[in-house]
Amino acid sequence: MEALDNEDGSYTIGNNTYVNKAEVFGGYKCGDRGLLLPIISEYTWPLEVRATLYLLGLLYCFLGVAIIADIFMGAIEKITSKTRKVYLTSEKEDEPEVIEVRIWSDTVANLTLMALGSSAPEILLSIIEVIGRNFESGELGPSTIVGSAAFNLFVISAVCVMTIPNGEHRRIKDIKVFAVTAVFSVVAYLWLLIILVASSKDEVEWWEAVVTLLFFPLLVTIAWVAEKNFFGVPNKTDTSKQIELGSFQPADKFLRERQYFRDGRLDRDGLVAFIKEVKNYPGLTDEDAAVLAASKLVESQSHSRMWYRVGAVRSMTGGRKTQPQLSYKLKEVYNAMNEHPEAPTVGEVPKVMPHKNAIIDFHSASCAVMENIGKFQVAICRSGRIDSKVSVRVETIDGTATEEQDYVSINQVITFESGEKEKFIDVEIINDNQWEPDEEFFLKLSLLINSEQRQGVQLGRISIMEITILNDDEPGMVMFQKRGFLVKESVGNAVIPVVRKNGADGEITVKWRTIDKSALSGRDFEGGEGLLVFKHTEISQNIEIPIMDDMTPEKDEHFEVELFDPEGGAKLGQINRTAVTITNDDDFNNVLSNMMMLTNANVHALQVHHETYISQIKDALNVNGGDIENATGADYVLHFLTFGWKILFAMVPPPSVLGGWLCFFVSLGAIGFLTAIIGDLASIFGCLVGLKDSVTAITFVALGTSLPDTFASKSAAIQEKYADNAIGNITGSNSVNVFLGLGLPWLMASVYHAINGTKFTVPAGNLGFSVGLFTGLSIATIGVLMLRRVLGVFGKTELGGPTIPKIISGLTYTTQPMMVFAK
């Protein structure tokens, strides 16, 4: 219980009155500052030890708040994910199209539950401080709110502006909602100035607290009206209908993902198209394809700021990630699939367009070399247009072989002059004279960053080449990889690998031809003959045979492919003939169903909330949520540090109970309790090191509560197409902090004092100065953001744009909070 000074110099705690503080605390410095702490007598400990322990405790409790906030966000996601069915007319009169749309408006959810989730520590700290001080004002709560607002607006804006990759930009899409929240964020702090300085100086009256609190529903209502565009000029894209029906799919995003998962939903057609794409990369299993499909599906979905915040918290605590964790091999495949500049996400494999682009790729997808070979050459080929000068970048990537130990790294630009069809790059292998197993590394082709240099050039199918280091100097033998292959009728091209074994020295060739069986060339497939060329060190080539899809039910049919006439010293291996069986898509249904199950399982494992206690406890016990294969050393350290919090909060009811509301309130209570501990730790720590509560709040506490939002905004800025989830919610969160974080405790305190015939005193002092300074700087910051949106020198974008203006904007933002914090 808080101890109070009396006018006669005595000191009252509970119902007992003492002569002075020393009589109560026995000279125990700062022992009267906490509501719940200290819990043991520590007055004999050195001040330095006590200050260090309180600082560590403060930091540790920040981790605890972050973890329980993660669970709290899961409850919010469960609540706001409720949908209702909407029936639309379709081509079939008897079967209307049924879609599910969210009941909660995105804007309402962001300004109510989401804002409460991210701002709960600041709001509860202010409430707890007022109650703990017997409804007298304190400095910790209000100063934390101001400090958090300054950090959010200035620092997060600077991080988001500068973190965008060069040449890219992000604009705020729903500018009307942002304008509403921006105006209210300024009004909120102007209103605080009016209360503290003009209306009733150093006092908050009950009607002022009521108005402060009523600003909150007013903000939500006006922002919702702006989102629905009830009184504005209709948007050209008629987004009001999209919002009414749950924001199906933005037009530009729809074009980008036309062949895969539309509206972020897993469907049969999208999965079939995606599998066709994935199967162009040899060596991938169905499980690999399912992981890649889950990655694409998660990427194609529209994510809320809450999703990014949960992901940031889990990265900080070594928890289960919100995105699929790809192995090294799958990352390379995924990056290669995303390389095409005309499709920023997973696009179609670039097709040869001889009248439009030059196509650059490696001659082979893999090769093998002896460790003592020294230098050897790798061929890079150009097809398509050859009448222009084009350039690509070639770089090495570690596999089991590492640069400077097993090979000399490469990172250079290769230029094809007009008319050139082939270039060679020298690769050097380091011979360390020590026995070691076969190792591999990779060569990767990529387009140049400059948009002008990317014109007229695209990457072919083989943009990544695997190089295996081994001890071999024989020409080797060629054979098929397997005796038979099964392809579905709609596969497009049957890709049949031919491998070179027991040697890879010198250039060899081998002919191939198709042999009709029950499947006939010209009717079921496009057969013929061809020649495969294995250059020196190359160990694999593919035969591609187009399969005709006649879309008619038929029995399985097959044809054969034969290898003959090897030259260059090579011999034919045991498997010189293979059968290719074409099955209709009815048989493929089983494979597709299995793929959909695997993909759904991968996506389900990534949801931000848990359905059962067992799932919660399993995630709490295991590093990286059980995905040990992809756990890093940092994940293990963070998991160890937060293990206690994870186990404790695994006992919170899962969001599946009572629609998420039980988890919501239990988590909120846990956040409140931890916030009370944080308030005590911060206050006692500040007292021990000689800092005022206002300084401690505006630095340590505000920083600790705002870090998860910083990482979340950074991720959203990089991954999202628009800036809304990165900075669009900052102004709304700052407004809610004032309206709820100060409105609620001030209303309780002012009503209490009105009933008792006393005044609720809130000295302006440092708080008034900080509020005034922040208000002026926030107007300037929002003004700069709007100028960036309309001025060409900034690229007409809020985030990113030209490099130098981007850096200048970021530095301008970061210098402003120093002025607030300095005071």
Side-chain angles (χ1 to χ4, degrees):
M1 182 176 291
E2 180 68 29
L4 301 176
D5 290 299
N6 300 320
E7 294 181 358
D8 60 359
S10 61
Y11 200 68
T12 301
I13 181 169
N15 296 321
N16 301 317
T17 301
Y18 301 86
V19 175
N20 52 49
K21 289 185 180 181
E23 185 179 347
V24 180
F25 298 103
Y28 182 10
K29 184 177 180 179
C30 305
D32 60 330
R33 300 299 296 270
L35 177 65
L36 302 175
L37 299 181
I39 57 176
I40 61 174
S41 178
E42 55 192 54
Y43 64 92
T44 59
W45 299 2
L47 289 181
E48 294 80 3
V49 173
R50 291 176 59 201
T52 300
L53 291 176
Y54 275 100
L55 177 60
L56 293 176
L58 184 63
L59 298 176
Y60 190 65
C61 284
F62 282 144
L63 288 176
V65 168
I67 292 173
I68 188 61
D70 179 1
I71 299 174
F72 188 56
M73 293 290 183
I76 295 174
E77 194 273 341
K78 182 69 174 180
I79 294 169
T80 58
S81 64
K82 288 184 172 62
T83 60
R84 59 186 175 87
K85 292 184 178 180
V86 175
Y87 295 88
L88 303 175
T89 58
S90 64
E91 296 179 358
K92 299 180 180 180
E93 297 181 359
D94 298 334
E95 299 181 13
E97 183 180 356
V98 181
I99 63 172
E100 292 187 0
V101 297
R102 288 179 179 267
I103 296 175
W104 282 78
S105 159
D106 289 341
T107 297
V108 173
N110 285 338
L111 291 176
T112 54
L113 296 181
M114 177 60 200
L116 181 61
S118 60
S119 303
E122 295 96 323
I123 295 172
L124 292 175
L125 180 62
S126 185
I127 294 174
I128 291 170
E129 183 183 38
V130 166
I131 295 175
R133 293 176 62 90
N134 289 328
F135 296 100
E136 296 294 339
S137 66
E139 292 184 339
L140 197 62
S143 296
T144 297
I145 288 175
V146 176
S148 177
F151 191 93
N152 287 346
L153 184 59
F154 304 138
V155 177
I156 292 180
S157 295
V159 169
C160 291
V161 166
M162 294 192 293
T163 198
I164 304 298
N166 291 333
E168 297 184 17
H169 65 273
R170 307 286 188 271
R171 285 170 60 88
I172 295 175
K173 184 181 181 183
D174 204 339
I175 191 63
K176 295 179 182 179
V177 174
F178 178 79
V180 170
T181 57
V183 169
F184 269 85
S185 68
V186 174
V187 168
Y189 287 92
L190 285 175
W191 174 244
L192 286 185
L193 279 179
I194 294 173
I195 293 175
L196 297 175
V197 178
S199 175
S200 53
K201 184 175 176 56
D202 296 335
E203 178 188 356
V204 175
E205 299 179 357
W206 69 269
W207 69 268
E208 294 172 331
V210 170
V211 172
T212 304
L213 189 58
L214 289 179
F215 270 122
F216 174 64
L218 181 64
L219 164 64
V220 175
T221 302
I222 295 178
W224 178 75
V225 170
E227 179 194 37
K228 296 300 182 182
N229 201 29
F230 284 152
F231 305 111
V233 178
N235 294 325
K236 294 181 180 179
T237 56
D238 198 13
T239 55
S240 61
K241 290 184 179 180
Q242 291 182 357
I243 293 173
E244 180 181 353
L245 296 177
S247 296
F248 287 145
Q249 190 88 337
D252 55 326
K253 193 171 185 180
F254 177 81
L255 291 175
R256 285 169 50 197
E257 298 167 4
R258 60 190 180 278
Q259 74 275 29
Y260 297 123
F261 308 116
R262 300 179 181 180
D263 199 26
R265 296 177 181 272
L266 179 63
D267 61 87
R268 176 190 172 89
D269 293 338
L271 186 59
V272 168
F274 190 83
I275 292 173
K276 287 182 180 180
E277 168 74 7
V278 169
K279 292 304 182 181
N280 287 317
Y281 298 87
L284 297 183
T285 65
D286 288 348
E287 289 75 14
D288 293 334
V291 173
L292 289 172
S295 299
K296 178 57 185 172
L297 185 60
V298 170
E299 181 184 283
S300 65
Q301 292 172 340
S302 178
H303 298 298
S304 65
R305 181 177 174 82
M306 177 196 67
W307 187 84
Y308 288 103
R309 195 179 192 280
V310 170
V313 169
R314 292 183 181 176
S315 296
M316 293 169 57
T317 58
R320 178 171 53 92
K321 305 301 187 291
T322 54
Q323 289 182 303
Q325 301 297 291
L326 303 180
S327 65
Y328 174 83
K329 178 181 179 181
L330 293 185
K331 283 180 181 178
E332 290 302 318
V333 172
Y334 198 67
N335 291 337
M337 295 171 71
N338 281 314
E339 192 69 44
H340 187 212
E342 295 179 1
T345 60
V346 176
E348 296 178 2
V349 174
K351 297 180 180 179
V352 174
M353 294 180 286
H355 300 295
K356 184 177 180 182
N357 291 335
I359 312 299
I360 311 295
D361 57 6
F362 290 109
H363 184 268
S364 173
S366 61
C367 73
V369 296
M370 297 179 295
E371 189 179 29
N372 61 359
I373 192 174
K375 291 184 178 181
F376 69 98
Q377 290 187 325
V378 171
I380 303 173
C381 304
R382 172 164 75 165
S383 58
R385 290 190 62 175
I386 62 172
D387 59 349
S388 60
K389 180 179 178 180
V390 296
S391 300
V392 293
R393 181 174 297 279
V394 184
E395 56 186 322
T396 51
I397 303 173
D398 281 353
T400 54
T402 57
E403 64 176 86
E404 308 310 330
Q405 293 183 6
D406 300 301
Y407 67 93
V408 177
S409 64
I410 297 173
N411 187 350
Q412 65 186 70
V413 174
I414 299 295
T415 300
F416 287 80
E417 300 293 340
S418 177
E420 276 193 302
K421 294 184 179 180
E422 191 173 49
K423 298 284 284 187
F424 292 92
I425 184 172
D426 289 330
V427 180
E428 183 175 357
I429 304 299
I430 299 174
N431 186 4
D432 55 12
N433 296 319
Q434 292 182 358
W435 182 90
E436 52 191 353
D438 293 350
E439 298 175 312
E440 75 278 343
F441 64 99
F442 303 89
L443 285 177
K444 177 185 176 183
L445 292 175
S446 59
L447 299 180
L448 302 183
I449 296 176
N450 191 313
S451 59
E452 295 182 358
Q453 294 176 307
R454 298 165 73 102
Q455 296 295 326
V457 58
Q458 65 185 84
L459 301 181
R461 292 182 181 274
I462 309 176
S463 61
I464 295 178
M465 181 179 186
E466 180 184 32
I467 299 177
T468 302
I469 304 173
L470 45 77
N471 184 15
D472 197 343
D473 58 355
E474 295 292 333
M477 59 178 62
V478 289
M479 66 182 74
F480 289 110
Q481 198 172 56
K482 295 187 297 184
R483 295 185 181 278
F485 295 87
L486 179 68
V487 297
K488 66 179 185 296
E489 193 177 35
S490 59
V491 72
N493 288 335
V495 180
I496 305 171
V498 179
V499 296
R500 179 185 188 182
K501 293 187 175 182
N502 300 328
D505 189 42
E507 180 176 310
I508 64 170
T509 62
V510 64
K511 296 179 181 178
W512 63 269
R513 61 190 168 208
T514 59
I515 302 174
D516 289 355
K517 294 296 183 179
S518 58
L520 302 178
S521 176
R523 188 193 72 179
D524 301 303
F525 66 97
E526 296 180 11
E529 296 184 358
L531 179 70
L532 289 182
V533 178
F534 290 79
K535 291 186 178 296
H536 176 58
T537 74
E538 291 180 349
I539 58 173
S540 71
Q541 292 287 346
N542 292 327
I543 299 173
E544 293 192 17
I545 301 176
I547 304 298
M548 297 180 179
D549 187 0
D550 53 17
M551 302 300 291
T552 57
E554 54 190 349
K555 296 180 180 179
D556 295 344
E557 299 169 327
H558 77 281
F559 63 95
E560 293 183 354
V561 184
E562 181 184 26
L563 298 175
F564 64 99
D565 285 351
E567 295 182 358
K571 299 179 182 179
L572 290 178
Q574 293 180 342
I575 310 176
N576 63 350
R577 181 179 290 200
T578 187
V580 180
T581 301
I582 306 172
T583 180
N584 58 39
D585 284 341
D586 291 336
D587 291 333
F588 181 67
N589 288 338
N590 294 330
V591 178
L592 182 62
S593 298
N594 183 50
M595 287 289 297
M596 290 196 72
M597 290 175 58
L598 290 172
T599 304
N600 271 320
N602 286 324
V603 174
H604 181 74
L606 298 171
Q607 64 184 7
V608 298
H609 65 271
H610 296 278
E611 297 293 338
T612 63
Y613 271 112
I614 294 177
S615 176
Q616 287 187 168
I617 295 172
K618 178 182 176 181
D619 262 13
L621 289 173
N622 294 287
V623 64
N624 205 23
D627 186 10
I628 298 177
E629 180 182 355
N630 294 305
T632 63
D635 287 332
Y636 279 98
V637 173
L638 292 170
H639 179 68
F640 173 77
L641 293 176
T642 58
F643 184 76
W645 291 123
K646 290 179 178 179
I647 293 297
L648 177 63
F649 294 137
M651 300 298 107
V652 174
S656 59
V657 179
L658 299 179
W661 287 106
L662 181 60
C663 179
F664 178 89
F665 288 110
V666 172
S667 301
L668 188 61
I671 293 175
F673 178 78
L674 263 182
T675 301
I677 299 294
I678 287 175
D680 285 0
L681 290 168
S683 183
I684 296 175
F685 169 74
C687 175
L688 290 172
V689 298
L691 295 177
K692 294 182 179 179
D693 280 351
S694 59
V695 177
T696 306
I698 210 168
T699 52
F700 291 98
V701 182
L703 178 63
T705 56
S706 298
L707 273 180
D709 290 304
T710 305
F711 292 117
S713 292
K714 179 183 176 183
S715 297
I718 295 174
Q719 299 180 33
E720 289 282 305
K721 182 175 179 61
Y722 298 100
D724 298 68
N725 281 335
I727 61 171
N729 288 319
I730 292 176
T731 51
S733 179
N734 287 351
S735 304
V736 173
N737 274 358
V738 173
F739 300 149
L740 292 182
L742 295 181
L744 277 175
W746 283 2
L747 178 61
M748 292 186 293
S750 59
V751 169
Y752 173 85
H753 282 277
I755 293 174
N756 289 278
T758 56
K759 293 182 178 182
F760 177 45
T761 302
V762 181
N766 290 335
L767 178 61
F769 177 84
S770 298
V771 169
L773 184 59
F774 170 74
T775 304
L777 294 177
S778 65
I779 295 174
T781 300
I782 295 172
V784 171
L785 279 174
M786 294 301 98
L787 285 176
R788 287 181 54 87
R789 184 180 178 87
V790 299
L791 294 182
V793 67
F794 295 108
K796 293 186 177 181
T797 180
E798 287 86 347
L799 306 181
T803 303
I804 295 178
K806 175 177 70 174
I807 295 175
I808 293 175
S809 299
L811 294 177
T812 301
Y813 294 153
T814 53
T815 56
Q816 297 181 34
M818 298 179 185
M819 301 171 65
V820 180
F821 296 157
K823 179 62 183 177

